[in-house]
Amino acid sequence: MKTTRTLAKALRPGARGLLVGLLTAAFLAPFYLMLRNALMDSKGLTSPEWTWWPSEMHWENFTALFDVPTLHMGQALGNSLLIAGITAPVSTLLASAAGYAFARIPVPGRGVLLGLVIATLMIPASATFVPTFVVVGAMGGVNTLWGLIAPGLFNPFAVLLFRNFYLQFPAEIEEAGRLDGLGWLGLYRRIALPSSGAMLAALGALSFIDSWNAFLWPLVVGQDPSAWTAQIALSTFLTSQTINLPGLFAGAVVTIAPLVAMFLIAQRYIVEGIATTGLKG
């Protein structure tokens, strides 16, 4: 029995390492396939014979993305970066302020307002898509960057996460701020907001990724090529007349690179931020 336990303990690290290796390989497999396909030509991609890596790498697939005048890939990447770069911090700060107000400020009807915020989470996005487009269109937001940005600035789910976070925030610290003459705005700006760095980073990163990956709203609102985002530019490689698979995969590699960088930078904050919302276990 003792020998069996000793053998199990000896094998346990190896089994863990094997499991981690398999999960890592499964996670990296799509990135490997994207890069492999991006470096091949159309003949190699459609060949029935499988090759692990192209014998001749076609780096020109990447440069061609920015050489095609009708693709507007450079401008599309810039639009996506601008939209996500504005949406992420603004929506996160608005959600933080609203969450603090729901958690701390005792105003009449606060429970009703919180119920309305929760109710918006139960409404399917498809039910609000057309009314939102009608409002944005009536205000002249079609083919404009602000029309792409404005509907994504309000995130009720993030408001609830921040509310849970601020409910756990020590009230004694705020009482010390009150003795210094701080009001609600001062308490939020000088004490609560600086103490929620992990939450801000986590939800900001998730908001950036969500905004970068948005497709349907930019497709409908950004009808002019000058308002295209990276996702819309990618869709032009796949039409009913032509299919440019090498260009599509090369564009996917270029488009996903900012998201990979964002995740690698913010992964620790994402885990830490979600863990501090009170949603654990």
Side-chain angles (χ1 to χ4, degrees):
M1 180 67 68
K2 186 176 180 180
T3 305
T4 304
R5 290 178 180 176
T6 304
L7 182 61
K9 288 182 179 180
L11 292 177
R12 197 172 298 163
R16 270 200 218 105
L18 179 61
L19 179 61
V20 170
L22 291 174
L23 292 176
T24 302
F27 177 79
L28 294 177
F31 298 97
Y32 152 72
L33 290 174
M34 271 195 299
L35 184 59
R36 166 193 173 271
N37 295 345
L39 294 173
M40 298 182 73
D41 56 8
S42 298
K43 184 178 179 181
L45 269 176
T46 56
S47 173
E49 297 180 2
W50 172 264
T51 55
W52 288 99
W53 197 252
S55 56
E56 181 182 355
M57 292 185 288
H58 296 268
W59 295 102
E60 66 274 10
N61 291 339
F62 291 97
T63 58
L65 293 173
F66 304 93
D67 293 337
V68 181
T70 58
L71 185 57
H72 308 281
M73 178 57 77
Q75 185 176 17
L77 287 171
N79 289 342
S80 289
L81 185 61
L82 180 63
I83 293 170
I86 293 176
T87 301
V90 174
S91 65
T92 305
L93 286 175
L94 288 176
S96 173
Y100 182 79
F102 280 121
R104 286 289 191 257
I105 303 178
V107 295
R110 182 176 62 174
V112 176
L113 292 176
L114 181 61
L116 292 176
V117 172
I118 297 174
T120 61
L121 295 173
M122 304 178 187
I123 302 174
S126 57
T128 60
F129 189 89
V130 173
T132 304
F133 177 77
V134 171
V135 172
V136 171
M139 298 175 65
V142 177
N143 291 324
T144 63
L145 290 179
W146 76 261
L148 294 168
I149 293 171
L153 295 180
F154 309 100
N155 188 344
F157 182 67
V159 172
L160 295 180
L161 291 180
F162 273 111
R163 175 182 175 272
N164 286 349
F165 174 80
Y166 289 126
L167 283 175
Q168 299 180 13
F169 192 75
E172 295 79 8
I173 300 178
E174 293 184 334
E175 291 299 330
R178 286 187 177 280
L179 294 177
D180 292 335
L182 295 178
W184 289 115
L185 181 59
L187 290 172
Y188 169 72
R189 185 170 60 88
R190 297 190 179 184
I191 297 178
L193 185 62
S195 301
S196 55
M199 280 290 295
L200 291 169
L203 292 179
L206 293 176
S207 177
F208 184 95
I209 293 172
D210 184 62
S211 179
W212 184 276
N213 285 331
F215 179 78
L216 186 57
W217 181 255
L219 176 66
V220 174
V221 176
Q223 301 172 6
D224 189 82
S226 62
W228 281 1
T229 62
Q231 308 301 332
I232 306 304
L234 275 181
S235 67
T236 61
F237 286 105
L238 207 59
T239 66
S240 57
Q241 288 79 27
T242 60
I243 300 177
N244 183 358
L245 288 178
L248 179 62
F249 282 109
V253 171
V254 171
T255 303
I256 204 173
L259 298 185
V260 174
M262 171 65 69
F263 178 77
L264 292 177
I265 295 172
Q267 59 177 332
R268 179 170 64 89
Y269 299 103
I270 293 175
V271 175
E272 182 182 347
I274 298 301
T276 55
T277 61
L279 299 181
K280 298 180 290 184

